[in-house]
């Protein structure tokens, strides 16, 4: 059974204070690992797809990395507008996405 | 290009009532799915479909029914609403996985309260 565990559940950062979110996973035949951002009252918004260990992707202040057992979402010099819940999901075979419970990030000015 | 459209955005039902949550996508995606999101539980899969005429159960299918008569539409039916079905419901669509995964696009959600 595919499983995703995200940590920490909540993270509070000062503006400019870099940190990382963790996503540990078990999946049979990884097709892709996905990062989403979700703002309150909105649907998840796609950020990144990672396909194989060693892969990295960047977008503005965000950088996602992947190993065989976990993925990290690094946030460099965050701003208050980066405050959101960040969701990690995996897809194995032809099955739908399996999500973690998310990390709620607050960035304080 | 509207993406994934869910209606209604908000709904209050009485216990025992039935209703249909609508989901439509205009991206010609084969894959559509319904999730519910509850505090502390994350997104849990209810039902999914890999194409017209094909549906399958997810993690929490009890009390819900789906059908897929067209590529564009994937309605979710609550047969007899219960307070435990109070949640936010999200519909998502994507292309079928090929050699790699494909990202899913989500609607804005339907917030359902059952009293």
């Amino acid at each position: 059974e595919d499983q995703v565990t995200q940590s920490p559940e909540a993270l509070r950062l000062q503006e400019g204070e870099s940190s990382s979110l963790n996503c540990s996973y078990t999946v049979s035949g990884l097709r892709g690992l996905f990062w989403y951002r979700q703002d309150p009252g909105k649907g998840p918004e796609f950020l990144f797809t990672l396909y194989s260990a060693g892969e990295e992707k960047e977008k503005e202040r965000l950088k996602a990395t992947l190993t065989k057992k976990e993925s990290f979402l690094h946030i460099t010099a965050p701003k208050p507008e980066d405050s959101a819940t960040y969701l990690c999901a995996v897809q194995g075979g032809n099955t739908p996405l399996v999500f973690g419970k998310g990390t709620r990030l607050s960035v304080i000015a | 290009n509207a993406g994934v459209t869910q209606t209604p955005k908000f709904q209050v039902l009485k216990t025992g009532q039935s209703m249909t949550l609508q989901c439509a996508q205009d991206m010609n995606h084969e894959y559509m799915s319904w999730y519910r999101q509850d505090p502390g539980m994350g997104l849990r899969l209810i039902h999914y479909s890999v194409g017209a005429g094909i549906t399958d159960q997810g993690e929490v299918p009890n009390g819900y029914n789906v059908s897929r008569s067209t590529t564009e539409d994937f309605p979710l039916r609550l047969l007899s609403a219960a307070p435990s079905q109070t949640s936010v419901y999200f519909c998502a669509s994507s292309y079928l996985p090929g050699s790699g995964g494909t990202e899913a696009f989500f609607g804005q959600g339907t917030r359902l309260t059952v009293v």
Side-chain angles (χ1 to χ4, degrees):
Chain A
E1 181 181 329
D2 301 345
Q3 288 189 332
V4 176
T5 302
Q6 291 188 246
S7 62
E9 289 185 15
L11 182 62
R12 188 180 172 98
L13 299 174
Q14 291 293 125
E15 184 172 4
E17 180 187 1
S18 301
S19 187
S20 296
L21 313 182
N22 177 264
C23 171
S24 298
Y25 66 93
T26 55
V27 64
S28 178
L30 180 69
R31 289 268 194 176
L33 183 140
F34 304 83
W35 283 98
Y36 286 83
R37 169 190 171 127
Q38 187 176 23
D39 293 299
K42 301 283 185 68
E45 178 185 346
F46 171 74
L47 291 173
F48 303 109
T49 308
L50 301 167
Y51 295 106
S52 58
E55 190 174 0
E56 299 181 351
K57 288 195 177 171
E58 289 188 67
K59 180 180 180 179
E60 296 180 359
R61 295 177 292 283
L62 300 177
K63 178 180 177 180
T65 62
L66 181 65
T67 73
K68 288 187 177 180
K69 292 185 177 181
E70 56 192 350
S71 176
F72 293 93
L73 185 66
H74 307 277
I75 304 176
T76 302
K79 298 182 178 182
E81 53 261 42
D82 295 322
S83 297
T85 296
Y86 291 85
L87 301 171
C88 174
V90 295
Q91 185 171 45
N94 286 325
T95 58
L97 297 180
V98 174
F99 282 84
K101 295 181 180 181
T103 294
R104 193 170 60 254
L105 174 66
S106 300
V107 181
I108 311 303
Chain B
N1 195 351
V4 179
T5 302
Q6 290 184 237
T7 56
K9 287 186 170 53
F10 302 94
Q11 183 70 49
V12 178
L13 286 179
K14 293 183 178 179
T15 297
Q17 285 185 319
S18 62
M19 79 159 293
T20 299
L21 279 61
Q22 301 291 345
C23 176
Q25 53 92 7
D26 60 1
M27 297 172 282
N28 205 30
H29 286 162
E30 302 94 343
Y31 221 122
M32 296 186 75
S33 50
W34 277 101
Y35 292 85
R36 60 177 289 174
Q37 188 173 40
D38 302 291
M41 300 295 292
L43 284 159
R44 293 184 293 168
L45 182 67
I46 305 171
H47 286 286
Y48 67 99
S49 168
V50 299
I54 306 169
T55 63
D56 207 346
Q57 296 182 351
E59 180 185 355
V60 288
N62 293 339
Y64 307 95
N65 209 354
V66 292
S67 61
R68 183 100 178 264
S69 56
T70 67
T71 300
E72 295 79 18
D73 300 299
F74 191 43
L76 178 71
R77 278 180 285 276
L78 278 69
L79 309 173
S80 177
S84 60
Q85 293 179 303
T86 294
S87 186
V88 182
Y89 292 84
F90 289 101
C91 178
S93 75
S94 68
Y95 291 112
L96 284 174
S99 57
T102 60
E103 65 269 24
F105 295 85
F106 284 81
Q108 290 299 294
T110 295
R111 186 175 295 274
L112 176 68
T113 302
V114 183
V115 298

